[in-house]
Amino acid sequence: MRISLVVALVALLVASTAGVPISMVAPKVAVNLYMESLCPDCQNFIAGTLNDAVNEIGDIMSVSIFPYGNAQEEGGKIVCQHGSDECKGNLVETCLIHYVPKFSDYFPVIHCMEGQGEPSSDLDQCSDSLSSDVVSNIKACAAGKLGKQLEQKMKEATDALQPSHTFVPWVTINGNPLGENVDILVSSVCETYTGPKPSACA
């Protein structure tokens, strides 16, 4: 009787998950990237490791990007590690995320801008997937009061990290820092995910 019950439960589990997208079987792994727009290591991470992870195991990740990094607030003004162009790039990316909040929609734009090397001025070259109205809104946001308000939120999210970030790119997985070896992103997400593993986790 007990064996029959176990068999029945296994059969029910198989039937209930058959045909169900893998991301619906278990909670997605929360991957947060804290970065700054002109950081070479951030650009390399976005172009390589993160892009590969999105392509290979994107179904089991929920990714958020926070463009602020090692910036500091001095006298009520945000000062960026790589100068004013980096602050402008951070604002453009922050406003992009505001107007295009879905990661799968905004990541190709950020991936393109970071790949071009000048995020503060490359929005037009990388925004083919966006409407002209959205692009105009992003530019106005980055140049105005809204952008400053949104960047303040990025600052607050970055400052709230526990433990505090000590370098960028700073990556957390379900709130836990990945450490300096960010290239283990795929294996770490695969290890953390509690559902059936996608083939890229093998």
Side-chain angles (χ1 to χ4, degrees):
M1 179 67 177
R2 185 171 299 172
I3 295 176
S4 299
L5 179 59
V6 171
V7 172
L9 288 172
V10 171
L12 179 61
L13 177 62
V14 171
S16 66
T17 58
V20 176
I22 193 168
S23 61
M24 294 178 62
V25 177
K28 290 186 177 184
V29 177
V31 176
N32 287 354
L33 167 61
Y34 300 83
M35 48 77 71
E36 53 196 25
S37 65
L38 290 184
C39 162
D41 288 339
C42 297
Q43 292 174 343
N44 290 335
F45 176 76
I46 288 170
T49 302
L50 180 58
N51 190 59
D52 290 344
V54 169
N55 291 331
E56 294 172 8
I57 58 170
D59 286 344
I60 65 171
M61 298 192 303
S62 176
V63 184
S64 298
I65 296 180
F66 300 83
Y68 184 79
N70 293 328
Q72 299 289 329
E73 191 169 32
E74 298 179 4
K77 180 181 179 180
I78 291 177
V79 178
C80 295
Q81 181 177 8
H82 298 97
S84 60
D85 281 346
E86 179 166 82
C87 284
K88 293 176 183 176
N90 289 349
L91 281 168
V92 169
E93 292 175 347
T94 295
C95 291
L96 165 67
I97 293 168
H98 175 72
Y99 283 106
V100 188
K102 189 176 180 181
F103 174 79
S104 60
D105 292 334
Y106 75 69
F107 179 66
V109 183
I110 288 182
H111 179 268
C112 174
M113 291 194 298
E114 291 294 333
Q116 297 282 353
E118 290 292 339
S120 63
S121 59
D122 289 333
L123 177 62
D124 287 332
Q125 300 179 48
C126 296
S127 57
D128 290 346
S129 62
L130 307 179
S131 70
S132 58
D133 286 345
V134 169
V135 173
S136 295
N137 287 338
I138 293 169
K139 290 179 178 179
C141 168
K145 182 178 180 180
L146 177 58
K148 293 179 181 179
Q149 293 172 340
L150 295 173
E151 189 65 3
Q152 186 67 26
K153 292 181 179 179
M154 293 296 183
K155 173 188 182 299
E156 291 170 0
T158 304
D159 289 347
L161 282 166
Q162 292 294 334
S164 299
H165 82 286
T166 54
F167 54 84
V168 287
W170 186 264
V171 181
T172 64
I173 295 181
N174 285 352
N176 300 309
L178 190 58
E180 293 188 27
N181 188 10
V182 292
D183 290 336
I184 63 172
L185 176 63
V186 169
S187 61
S188 296
V189 171
C190 288
E191 182 179 345
T192 303
Y193 185 61
T194 58
K197 312 292 184 183
S199 58
C201 290

